[in-house]
Amino acid sequence: MSVRGGEAWADVVERWGFDLEFVDECGALARMPLQQCWGRRFEDALPVRSFPSFKGQKNFTGLWWSATTSRHVGFESWVERDQAMRLDFDSNVVGFSSQPFRIWWQGESHIHRHVPDYFARMADGSGLVVDVRPDNRIEPEDAAAFAATSRLCERVGWAFRRVGELDPVLRANVDWLAGYRHPRCLRPEVAERVLKIFSEPTALGEGVRAAGPRLAVLPTLFHLMWSRRIVTDLHTRLLSSSSPLSVAGGSSR
């Protein structure tokens, strides 16, 4: 059932607690009670609102090409861009979208609305709703919206995450690897050698020298690191020739 405008819609919001507004298969906006639409594939949703770009605006908008989905995902700030990159890098995320729906709910005096920044589908089939806002930019109204979104997620079994700026070291490392996320960076014959070399923990520089010419090896190596087939500590130190790398799980097979 779709509900549009007026007192009838307000009655439904009050009855069900939450309404979701989203872009349907025909490209039109639709509003439904949460219970009727929470099972939709929101990881494939089109943005429920646009990403404006105009002269003099303070925030930076753009599109992130997702290696997970092979399509673009919008963002409205550099902080959102970094979180889109982080979702794309997460091996547990199998799909995600930006501005997936608008939440409506009845407050004490009026109806509220809020658009979360991302919806992600996890490998186990569960959902994750992400709001991006740095700690020092959360106003009381924002906190109330995040709390309502968390309640909505609890109701249907989704996880909710409010995130801010990425840790600088992790951001720098993942941002570097993201430059090699496209499948064109992977050369199968090089990957075979690299996976064999790093089947035991080996310093990055040493392994590259053993695998062949740097310019031929590094794009494939970094792609394998982006896809988490080769791993290292990305949280506490910047990538360097001395970084110890190893095949995920300890084996190249």
Side-chain angles (χ1 to χ4, degrees):
M1 181 183 80
S2 295
V3 183
R4 298 180 182 275
E7 293 184 357
W9 174 73
D11 291 342
V12 170
V13 173
E14 185 174 0
R15 177 184 175 188
W16 294 101
F18 294 98
D19 231 33
L20 295 187
E21 182 179 13
F22 54 90
V23 179
D24 65 16
E25 294 81 359
C26 298
L29 284 177
R31 288 198 296 256
M32 293 184 183
L34 174 65
Q35 280 80 350
Q36 294 185 10
C37 62
W38 72 272
R40 298 178 66 90
R41 291 181 55 86
F42 286 116
E43 65 269 30
D44 298 328
L46 292 175
V48 74
R49 69 181 185 191
S50 62
F51 299 88
S53 179
F54 53 89
K55 184 178 180 179
Q57 75 180 82
K58 296 181 179 180
N59 60 306
F60 179 82
T61 62
L63 296 172
W64 173 265
W65 184 81
S66 167
T68 302
T69 62
S70 297
R71 61 184 177 85
H72 286 97
V73 178
F75 57 84
E76 293 183 301
S77 68
W78 281 113
V79 180
E80 286 188 20
R81 177 264 187 195
D82 290 346
Q83 292 298 339
M85 176 180 70
R86 183 70 181 89
L87 288 170
D88 203 16
F89 184 61
D90 190 337
S91 58
N92 289 316
V93 173
V94 297
F96 67 103
S97 63
S98 57
Q99 316 285 349
F101 45 71
R102 180 176 285 108
I103 303 169
W104 298 81
W105 72 97
Q106 178 66 54
E108 293 183 2
S109 59
H110 63 282
I111 293 175
H112 301 267
R113 62 181 183 175
H114 172 62
V115 179
D117 293 303
Y118 298 107
F119 179 90
R121 184 69 64 187
M122 312 306 287
D124 64 2
S126 61
L128 168 67
V129 175
V130 179
D131 265 310
V132 183
R133 189 67 58 88
D135 294 346
N136 61 357
R137 292 188 52 211
I138 299 178
E139 302 294 337
E141 188 173 303
D142 302 321
F146 300 154
T149 304
S150 180
R151 293 196 303 272
L152 178 151
C153 291
E154 290 178 2
R155 189 159 299 185
V156 297
W158 294 338
F160 173 71
R161 186 184 300 165
R162 197 279 304 170
V163 296
E165 297 180 352
L166 279 181
D167 173 83
V169 173
L170 178 63
R171 180 191 182 280
N173 285 331
V174 177
D175 193 43
W176 176 264
L177 297 179
Y180 301 88
R181 67 190 185 277
H182 197 282
R184 64 172 171 259
C185 295
L186 180 67
R187 295 178 59 184
E189 70 280 6
V190 176
E192 184 177 356
R193 295 200 304 272
V194 168
L195 289 168
K196 184 176 181 180
I197 289 169
F198 290 105
S199 61
E200 297 293 337
T202 305
L204 187 154
E206 179 184 344
V208 169
R209 286 191 294 273
R214 290 173 58 86
L215 291 180
V217 172
L218 285 175
T220 290
L221 172 61
F222 291 143
H223 180 83
L224 292 172
M225 294 180 69
W226 169 266
S227 59
R228 310 302 286 273
R229 295 178 66 186
I230 292 179
V231 296
T232 190
D233 175 17
L234 298 175
H235 293 267
T236 63
R237 57 181 296 185
L238 294 174
L239 281 173
S240 70
S241 61
S242 63
S243 296
L245 309 186
S246 60
V247 171
S251 173
S252 62
R253 296 182 183 276

